[in-house]
Amino acid sequence: MGKLFSRLKPDVRQEELPEHPVSLLLRDLTGRFDWLQIVPMFLLLITGALFIYGTGQQVGGIHAALIWKKQLLFMGIGIVIWFFLIFFDYRWLIPGTFVIYPFSLLLLVIVLLFGTELYGAKRWLSIGGFSYQPSELAKLGVILSVSFLLSRRKANINKPLWALGVIILTAIPFLLIYKEPDLGTALVLLPIVGAILFSAHLKLRWILALLILLMATAPVLYMNLKPYQKERIYTFLNPESDPTDLGWNAVQANLAVGRGGVTGKGFMEGTHCSLGYLPRTVANSDFIFPVIAEETGFIGAFLLLMLYAVLMFSILRTAMLAPDDFGRYLCVGIGALLITHVAVNIGMCIQLLPITGLPLPLVSYGGSFMVSMMIYLGIIQSVYAHRKQDSFLSE
């Protein structure tokens, strides 16, 4: 009887309804975004805009006071490109590599011939009232080309032919950038490529051989440096030897960081920027970290470093989630670029490294590097967005 009634009972289970297209779209959108990257990225952008505004108000003058609006324009352009790249399959950058890399070399040659000379260096091309540094495109070209080369199916970095290919791809832009002269930017290429080689399973003996080779060529490189570059190294080793001239920037940047104390002097209340102890022309770019440290103190500087740490963690996590070697190498190379800029910029402000012109990512003023950095992070987001898709590169 129980079986009879069970057969007569209507089936109260409802068929599963198809998911609404809007919810499917929202799920797809949210799955593309890596909030572990987005949150620190936007906080760093906001921090940079605030302190660029603050330094402009302290320095005074129409140009300095309005320069933050120019930075907002660069940020807007970068964010638009970053958002576009989220929906762009990063693997389409492979054919683009054959255009980007040689075009970047062409721009480096053009800037040597026709670039705007400033302080004895030709690093910028003036286009429509804006200045652009071709070396930024060269960094992207090196990351793309080396990542593509080592992601080939039969690639083996421990074989001479593949190693020679990497050396050639790196050496050409390195020498062109060094010729500008811009040694700091040229040297950034080395940790970028080194990180990619390490992730491509370069054997320990070759890593040691490369380190020995770099140490052996260091004296030759030093002998060919410009006089002002040698002065920077000497000043770094002995900043107190000329604290009122050559060592001034290094000493004052270090003092500004130390005088921030635990909580800082308050926003726009720092004296090193307002009184001109920090060089006013670069207080919003190369030396923005001392401004932040003086006005927000140890707490503010520590939080800034934590934002970079979270951003770096998100990049490395994306590298581990990448569906192919090309995506993984892109993430590793970009991560190395980010951490190198942060370490060198902050290191020079606290007298751990010589003074160089490397900006602080997402914080320092500058259009070329700002837009380039947003492109790099957009590529990372693209790798993250396609992390669950099967890659034809792995077949």
Side-chain angles (χ1 to χ4, degrees):
M1 182 66 79
K3 292 182 179 180
L4 178 62
F5 279 107
S6 65
R7 290 178 181 177
L8 294 177
K9 286 182 181 179
D11 189 1
V12 296
R13 293 176 300 176
Q14 296 182 355
E15 296 183 0
E16 293 184 2
L17 296 175
E19 196 168 357
H20 197 277
V22 175
S23 62
L24 286 173
L25 178 62
L26 290 175
R27 180 184 297 179
D28 179 65
L29 287 176
T30 55
R32 288 177 176 270
F33 293 106
D34 181 8
W35 294 101
L36 201 60
Q37 181 204 105
I38 293 174
V39 173
M41 181 187 76
F42 275 99
L43 288 176
L44 288 168
L45 287 173
I46 293 170
T47 300
L50 283 174
F51 282 92
I52 289 171
Y53 168 80
T55 55
Q57 300 304 310
Q58 293 178 73
V59 170
I62 297 177
H63 176 72
L66 297 180
I67 204 169
W68 64 276
K69 294 185 178 180
K70 208 172 181 180
Q71 182 72 353
L72 289 180
L73 174 62
F74 297 142
M75 287 170 52
I77 295 172
I79 290 172
V80 169
I81 299 174
W82 171 83
F83 190 79
F84 167 78
L85 288 172
I86 296 176
F87 302 93
F88 177 84
D89 193 333
Y90 68 93
R91 284 158 290 208
W92 282 104
L93 290 171
I94 292 177
T97 302
F98 295 95
V99 177
I100 295 173
Y101 181 79
F103 183 64
S104 68
L105 298 183
L106 176 62
L107 289 182
L108 289 176
V109 173
I110 292 174
V111 78
L112 287 175
L113 297 175
F114 309 106
T116 302
E117 187 169 346
L118 187 63
Y119 303 119
K122 288 185 177 181
R123 304 174 185 175
W124 297 270
L125 287 175
S126 296
I127 305 172
F130 291 91
S131 296
Y132 178 73
Q133 283 188 278
S135 57
E136 295 301 334
L137 185 62
K139 293 177 190 175
L140 177 61
V142 169
I143 292 174
L144 289 174
S145 58
V146 174
S147 297
F148 167 68
L149 179 67
L150 296 181
S151 63
R152 300 289 298 273
R153 294 178 184 176
K154 296 182 180 180
N156 186 346
I157 189 55
N158 295 292
K159 292 185 177 181
L161 187 61
W162 294 97
L164 179 63
V166 172
I167 292 172
I168 293 173
L169 290 173
T170 308
I172 297 174
F174 180 93
L175 294 174
L176 289 173
I177 296 172
Y178 171 75
K179 189 68 177 177
E180 292 180 355
D182 190 357
L183 180 61
T185 301
L187 289 176
V188 171
L189 297 178
L190 300 184
I192 291 174
V193 175
I196 296 175
L197 294 180
F198 181 80
S199 63
H201 307 293
L202 181 65
K203 291 183 178 179
L204 180 60
R205 65 172 180 267
W206 294 117
I207 295 176
L208 295 175
L210 285 173
L211 292 176
I212 294 173
L213 179 63
L214 289 174
M215 293 174 63
T217 56
V220 178
L221 181 63
Y222 178 81
M223 292 174 61
N224 288 277
L225 291 179
K226 301 289 183 181
Y228 78 91
Q229 293 173 327
K230 293 181 179 180
E231 288 176 353
R232 285 184 177 181
I233 296 176
Y234 177 75
T235 303
F236 160 67
L237 296 174
N238 189 13
E240 302 297 335
S241 62
D242 192 3
T244 61
D245 188 12
L246 298 178
W248 176 265
N249 292 344
V251 172
Q252 295 302 322
N254 195 30
L255 286 174
V257 173
R259 289 181 178 176
V262 177
T263 58
K265 297 180 179 180
F267 182 59
M268 293 177 59
E269 297 296 330
T271 56
H272 271 67
C273 179
S274 60
L275 297 180
Y277 292 110
L278 286 173
R280 292 180 173 180
T281 55
V282 289
N284 55 17
S285 54
D286 297 345
F287 289 97
I288 198 168
F289 178 75
V291 176
I292 295 173
E294 184 181 16
E295 296 183 4
T296 64
F298 172 80
I299 294 176
F302 176 78
L303 291 176
L304 184 74
L305 290 176
M306 287 301 99
L307 290 176
Y308 282 119
V310 174
L311 184 60
M312 188 65 194
F313 175 79
S314 72
I315 293 174
L316 294 179
R317 186 187 65 166
T318 302
M320 297 177 65
L321 296 174
D324 50 55
D325 287 341
F326 181 63
R328 180 164 58 256
Y329 297 153
L330 286 178
C331 293
V332 170
I334 293 171
L337 182 149
L338 172 73
I339 199 66
T340 300
H341 269 265
V342 173
V344 172
N345 181 276
I346 295 178
M348 74 177 188
C349 293
I350 55 177
Q351 295 184 343
L352 291 179
L353 293 171
I355 298 294
T356 57
L358 295 185
L360 195 59
L362 304 175
V363 176
S364 292
Y365 171 78
S368 300
F369 188 64
M370 171 61 72
V371 174
S372 298
M373 200 67 228
M374 295 304 294
I375 291 174
Y376 295 137
L377 294 178
I379 293 173
I380 300 294
Q381 281 285 344
S382 178
V383 176
Y384 181 84
H386 296 87
R387 65 194 183 280
K388 295 182 180 179
Q389 295 182 6
D390 293 331
S391 176
F392 63 88
L393 297 177
S394 300
E395 295 176 358

